[in-house]
Amino acid sequence: PPDVEQLGRATWTFLHTTAAYYPEKPTPNQRANMLTLIRSLPVLYPCTHCASDFGEEVKKSPPDVSGRVGLSRWLCERHNEVNEKLGKSKFNCAVEKLDERWKDGPDD
Ligand code: FAD
């Protein structure tokens, strides 16, 4: 079985980074592909209990693929649901905090 922690860190890195660089105004094709990417996780993610819990959360909170700010926040909230389940601290989902972590890096 996969290393669930290492797989998780790698997957969150991919997802948050992709959201941070997603267009402000995505084309219909970009939106459709982002929806497909998100909806693939409950089907394909190789931690099966992670995948099915994530699928339930996505049903409760449909993905916001309208643009990078909405998508980044949506994903942050889903990640916080996992953090809460695992007893980890929650991340501040303000776009400035998300961009600092996943796009721009800290000011210096
Ligand atoms: P991670 O949680 O991997 O976070 C990596 C980095 O992301 C953090 O260091 C922080 O800088 C940043 N970050 C933290 N929270 C947020 C946020 N809300 N928004 C933006 N950035 C943030 N593990 C299980 O044991 N059970 C599960 O059911 C489970 N479900 C998962 C479902 C999915 C879809 C994914 C991708 C992973 C899942 N995992 C699950 C793995 C788990 O979320 C962690 O990745 C793993 O426990 C390693 O945690 P970590 O403390 O290294 O940091």
Side-chain angles (χ1 to χ4, degrees), residues 4-5 8-9 11-12 16 45 49-50 54 76 79-80 82-83 85-86 88 91 98 101-102:
V4 169
E5 294 217 336
R9 279 190 289 274
T11 304
W12 289 124
H16 289 298
Y45 194 67
H49 71 275
C50 305
F54 185 74
C76 182
H79 191 166
N80 274 339
V82 180
N83 289 342
K85 179 170 75 171
L86 299 179
K88 296 179 194 277
F91 198 90
L98 290 168
R101 175 66 180 87
W102 297 109

Side-chain angles (χ1 to χ4, degrees), residues 48-60:
T48 49
H49 71 275
C50 305
S52 61
D53 286 2
F54 185 74
E56 292 305 315
E57 298 295 354
V58 173
K59 271 188 213 163
K60 285 185 223 162

Side-chain angles (χ1 to χ4, degrees), residues 24-85:
E24 300 278 358
K25 293 182 177 179
T27 64
N29 185 245
Q30 287 169 323
R31 292 184 193 214
N33 277 280
M34 181 53 72
L35 267 182
T36 296
L37 175 63
I38 293 164
R39 289 178 181 159
S40 299
L41 291 171
V43 182
L44 296 172
Y45 194 67
C47 160
T48 49
H49 71 275
C50 305
S52 61
D53 286 2
F54 185 74
E56 292 305 315
E57 298 295 354
V58 173
K59 271 188 213 163
K60 285 185 223 162
S61 308
D64 179 354
V65 298
S66 64
R68 64 166 221 99
V69 174
L71 180 63
S72 296
R73 184 182 307 121
W74 179 86
L75 194 63
C76 182
E77 288 166 356
R78 303 291 76 71
H79 191 166
N80 274 339
E81 288 165 354
V82 180
N83 289 342
E84 201 159 23
K85 179 170 75 171

Side-chain angles (χ1 to χ4, degrees), residues 13-26:
T13 296
F14 167 65
L15 292 172
H16 289 298
T17 306
T18 301
Y21 287 89
Y22 185 70
E24 300 278 358
K25 293 182 177 179

